[in-house]
Amino acid sequence: MTFPEVSIVIVNWNGRRFLDTCLDAVAAQDGVNAETIVVDNGSSDGSAAYVRERFPWVRLIALEDNRGFAGGNNAGVRDARGRFIALLNNDTAPERGWLKALLGGVRHDDSILATSRIVYMHDRRVIDSAGDGMLRWGGAFKHHHGASVDEARESREVFGVCGAACLLSRRVFDELGGFDEHFFVSHEDVDLSYRARLRGYRCVYIADAVVAHHGSASLGRVSDLAVFHGQRNLEWVYLKNAPLSLLLRTLPGHIVYTAAAALHFTRSGLLGPFVRGKLAAIAGIPRVLRQRAEIQRSRRVHASAIWTHLERRWLSTKLKEKRFDLGLIGER
């Protein structure tokens, strides 16, 4: 039996309206021996039946309930047969050479995690993400978010991969234990990337791997659920993964960062989900500390190797990101 080199895993939840565009683009990929797995998270819009009928070449995993982005992807990877795993959102359309470009960035070194140039579906001249970044004070951001594609034409190392369109070896995914399913949705890719870096793995942005993305199709760009999960999960990323010396060094800044976020969400009318997210993060601390102990025991790099990849310009970075998102909502 011949196994594929790459398994493409696509998690879907009530996204039937996106599936034609996404899966037709996946079928058009060339130069790579790949299989496609769609994990349906208990959709109520007929997505599973539609995939069975319209795309018989797709391997469908129909879950009875919604396990979120983290649980859905873990289920797909468990059933995957490829040496490499490509994760792709259901509301995307990869260009024909996307998978070949991603694979070219890691085939010579399967310890590298590769992330795509993700552009907006409505305007492909604008970047959604050119890889994930991590702030020194504990927040995450997307490189070149809202910028022209001209600013992101060079491949380079980044802190982490964006789960909407990335590739890594099955070996590394399994070693890391996959996504943390407690996250459900939001920041699980940042958490996975952080854990990979703590073990000495690198994350690289591949500029030629281009994917168009609707963006925030499931949660909405600024919604109660997005704020709740985002604010809860970023605390877990920070507490689980930051080496002790960095945790102590950055804690005062993290408090300031959190206060600034509270002010932002108060002005946006979203203080309620912000506070609920922080309280849920606190409730999860006993479990997170147990996870932290294991993560830090398995760490292979010095804290300084992490520090060099953390962005110090937290305020300007987040203000730029928030202003673009708010402007995008206003345009729509």
Side-chain angles (χ1 to χ4, degrees):
M1 183 177 182
T2 302
F3 290 103
E5 187 169 19
V6 180
S7 296
I8 304 170
V9 178
I10 302 168
V11 174
N12 176 76
W13 179 67
N14 290 332
R16 176 176 169 174
R17 64 193 184 281
F18 300 118
L19 293 176
D20 283 324
T21 299
C22 180
L23 292 175
D24 286 346
V26 167
Q29 297 299 303
D30 57 10
V32 180
N33 177 18
E35 67 172 350
T36 301
I37 300 170
V38 169
V39 181
D40 187 72
N41 261 335
S43 294
S44 58
D45 67 349
S47 289
Y50 186 70
V51 171
R52 287 192 187 97
E53 180 180 352
R54 173 71 174 80
F55 303 99
W57 51 272
V58 169
R59 295 177 61 204
L60 176 68
I61 300 175
L63 303 178
E64 293 184 357
D65 56 348
N66 184 3
R67 302 183 192 175
F69 183 86
N73 273 299
N74 284 349
V77 174
R78 280 194 293 270
D79 207 47
R81 299 174 296 182
R83 177 188 170 199
F84 293 95
I85 304 297
L87 307 178
L88 188 66
N89 274 16
N90 64 341
D91 62 334
T92 62
E95 292 190 357
R96 184 179 294 270
W98 163 73
L99 190 57
K100 184 177 181 180
L102 273 187
L103 187 59
V106 304
R107 186 180 269 145
H108 66 288
D109 183 355
D110 75 355
S111 67
I112 293 175
L113 290 74
T115 195
S116 308
R117 186 206 301 183
I118 305 174
V119 299
Y120 279 103
M121 191 77 74
H122 71 281
D123 188 348
R124 300 191 182 204
R125 300 168 298 176
V126 179
I127 294 288
D128 177 18
S129 172
D132 285 346
M134 190 77 186
L135 303 170
R136 287 184 178 179
W137 307 143
F141 66 97
K142 296 188 282 190
H143 284 289
H144 296 296
H145 182 64
S148 165
V149 294
D150 292 331
E151 296 185 26
R153 294 194 182 278
E154 298 295 325
S155 299
R156 67 185 187 93
E157 186 164 357
V158 291
F159 183 85
V161 299
C162 177
C166 65
L167 184 143
L168 71 164
S169 75
R170 172 69 182 269
R171 174 185 69 83
V172 171
F173 189 90
D174 287 346
E175 180 187 325
L176 296 172
F179 289 116
D180 184 342
E181 296 190 19
H182 294 95
F183 281 52
F184 192 72
V185 67
S186 183
H187 288 72
E188 62 284 295
D189 48 0
V190 182
D191 175 66
L192 185 79
S193 298
Y194 208 142
R195 288 185 279 124
R197 283 212 162 272
L198 289 170
R199 294 195 179 212
Y201 298 127
R202 297 170 55 228
C203 300
V204 176
Y205 163 65
I206 308 296
D208 292 336
V210 182
V211 174
H213 185 212
H214 283 285
S216 304
S218 295
L219 284 182
R221 188 164 301 280
V222 180
S223 67
D224 285 10
L225 283 176
V227 173
F228 170 82
H229 285 98
Q231 293 303 310
R232 181 194 65 179
N233 294 353
L234 77 82
E235 299 296 346
W236 289 348
V237 170
Y238 178 63
L239 184 56
K240 280 174 61 178
N241 296 301
L244 182 59
S245 61
L246 295 190
L247 203 62
L248 297 175
R249 185 176 183 179
T250 62
L251 185 58
H254 184 70
I255 293 171
V256 172
Y257 177 79
T258 303
L263 178 61
H264 166 76
F265 287 114
T266 298
R267 289 175 172 173
S268 303
L270 292 164
L271 181 62
F274 171 86
V275 172
R276 290 194 296 274
K278 297 307 184 187
L279 291 176
I282 293 170
I285 284 178
R287 170 187 50 78
V288 170
L289 290 178
R290 292 192 294 271
Q291 292 177 298
R292 173 184 173 80
E294 176 57 32
I295 289 167
Q296 299 305 320
R297 276 196 300 269
S298 64
R299 176 160 60 95
R300 299 173 187 156
V301 300
H302 192 270
S304 60
I306 301 298
W307 181 255
T308 58
H309 291 287
L310 301 180
E311 174 60 54
R312 63 181 178 82
R313 296 167 295 184
W314 69 272
L315 184 58
S316 61
T317 298
K318 293 304 290 188
L319 282 176
K320 184 178 179 181
E321 187 174 77
K322 296 300 182 184
R323 284 169 181 162
F324 174 77
D325 284 345
L326 289 173
L328 192 62
I329 292 168
E331 290 176 6
R332 291 184 177 182

